[in-house]
């Protein structure tokens, strides 16, 4: 489908097209398309831009990952369908390997996602040779070299259950989730309320800049960060946006 650049919903339509193509290629499941719809709705009422609370969370997330001993980036079908190249670059600048971790698991889909990421020269773990205790879904199956031993995990588009279990297993969790009300958002140590299509490119830029920061400076950024305050600001931003729109009528 050709989407003219002048279309007012250009970015949103391009994103949908990318995801639909990823679905046809077997990277994304139908449930992933529905989950994206929920994200789009929140993006709409946040003004479809990276807001100050998202930028602050992205910077704290990058600081936390630079400071980590074993940072890992978990990738599901939607993340691979939307930002395979960008997430591979982020992995490279942060020296944080990627791990394929999906809810609706099949060996075929794991393989396809891994291949998509490897096209962009990423280091991809997907052996599925270890299990995270306390979780019933297929997301419990992890790689011994990756999430299993990670101290910080970036989980874009996560579900609340796994976020909770990762935390119970002593890991720090960074979520990218446009819904500031979700269990994932409330569970994570750092919640990036931003579209993954903007969050990952932003994080690449911050990572390039912050790699040269001293340890103390990075630690200060992490210590100062308050996730509850960030979520409060995100919810308030939605209220204010809706109020301003209703005022225009
Ligand atoms: P929870 O179990 O944490 O309450 P949920 O059931 O609301 O989560 P899921 O369907 O498990 O949500 O996961 C999808 C989440 O990902 C949604 O909260 C949605 O807002 C978010 N999401 C979908 N697409 C994007 C995107 N492109 N960028 C950022 N977030 C997105
Ligand atoms: Mg859920």
């Amino acid at each position: 489908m050709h989407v003219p650049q002048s279309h007012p919903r250009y970015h949103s339509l391009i994103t949908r097209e990318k995801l639909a193509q990823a679905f046809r290629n077997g990277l994304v499941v139908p449930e992933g398309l529905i989950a994206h719809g929920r994200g789009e709705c929140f993006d709409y009422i946040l003004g479809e831009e990276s807001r100050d609370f998202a930028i602050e969370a992205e910077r704290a997330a990058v600081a936390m990952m630079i400071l980590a001993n074993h940072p890992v980036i978990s990738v599901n079908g939607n993340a691979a369908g939307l930002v395979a190249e960008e997430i591979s670059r982020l992995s490279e600048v942060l020296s944080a390997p990627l791990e394929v971790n999906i809810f609706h698991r099949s060996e075929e889909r794991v393989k396809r996602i891994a291949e998509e990421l490897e096209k962009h020269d990423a280091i991809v773990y997907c052996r599925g040779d270890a299990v995270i205790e306390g979780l019933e879904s297929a997301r419990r199956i992890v790689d011994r070299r990756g999430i299993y031993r990670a101290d910080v995990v970036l989980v874009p588009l996560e579900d609340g259950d796994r976020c909770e279990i990762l935390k119970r297993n002593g890991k720090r969790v960074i979520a990218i989730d446009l819904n500031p009300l979700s269990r994932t958002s409330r569970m994570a140590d750092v919640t990036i309320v931003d579209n993954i299509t903007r969050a990952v490119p932003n994080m690449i830029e911050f990572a390039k800049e912050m790699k040269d920061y001293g340890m103390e400076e990075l630690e200060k950024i992490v210590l100062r960060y308050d996730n509850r305050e960030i979520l409060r600001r995100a919810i308030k931003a939605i209220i204010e946006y809706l109020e301003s729109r209703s005022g225009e009528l």
Side-chain angles (χ1 to χ4, degrees), residues 140-178:
R140 75 184 186 283
I141 304 167
V142 293
D143 191 303
R144 196 164 285 283
R145 301 161 298 170
I147 291 170
Y148 186 74
R149 70 163 194 164
D151 54 347
V152 176
V153 193
L154 169 63
V155 284
L157 324 181
E158 187 51 51
D159 69 295
D161 290 13
R162 192 168 76 120
C163 193
E164 185 178 353
I165 299 299
L166 287 174
K167 284 205 50 123
R168 230 188 280 154
N169 277 268
K171 300 173 195 303
R172 298 235 254 175
V173 179
I174 301 161
I176 302 176
D177 190 339
L178 277 159

Side-chain angles (χ1 to χ4, degrees), residues 36-71:
H36 181 76
R38 184 184 284 159
E40 271 195 343
C41 179
F42 279 100
D43 208 11
Y44 203 110
I45 56 176
L46 278 160
E48 294 175 307
E49 57 180 17
S50 300
R51 308 288 295 260
D52 55 2
F53 48 82
I55 300 283
E56 210 173 305
E58 284 156 10
R59 291 184 74 89
V62 166
M64 200 179 263
M65 292 189 80
I66 297 173
L67 289 169
N69 291 320
H70 298 293

Side-chain angles (χ1 to χ4, degrees), residues 157-245:
L157 324 181
E158 187 51 51
D159 69 295
D161 290 13
R162 192 168 76 120
C163 193
E164 185 178 353
I165 299 299
L166 287 174
K167 284 205 50 123
R168 230 188 280 154
N169 277 268
K171 300 173 195 303
R172 298 235 254 175
V173 179
I174 301 161
I176 302 176
D177 190 339
L178 277 159
N179 177 4
L181 306 169
S182 76
R183 284 176 311 137
T184 305
S185 288
R186 284 182 290 146
M187 279 287 166
D189 295 284
V190 176
T191 307
I192 297 167
V193 182
D194 201 357
N195 200 316
I196 190 174
T197 58
R198 295 187 301 265
V200 175
N202 286 348
M203 288 173 80
I204 296 171
E205 290 312 310
F206 296 146
K208 285 188 198 157
E209 173 199 332
M210 293 166 72
K211 265 198 329 192
D212 298 327
Y213 285 16
M215 287 268 276
E216 257 175 49
E217 196 169 349
L218 294 169
E219 272 160 10
K220 221 161 50 188
I221 293 170
V222 174
L223 277 175
R224 253 202 328 250
Y225 182 81
D226 179 350
N227 206 46
R228 288 160 61 97
E229 183 56 28
I230 289 289
L231 292 178
R232 242 178 254 132
R233 277 162 58 190
I235 295 167
K236 281 199 186 125
I238 291 176
I239 296 168
E240 280 160 19
Y241 183 77
L242 293 178
E243 259 174 5
S244 81
R245 295 307 295 262

Side-chain angles (χ1 to χ4, degrees), residues 21-40:
Q21 189 55 45
F23 170 71
R24 290 189 284 268
N25 293 343
L27 294 174
V28 167
V29 286
E31 290 83 350
L33 302 178
I34 299 169
H36 181 76
R38 184 184 284 159
E40 271 195 343

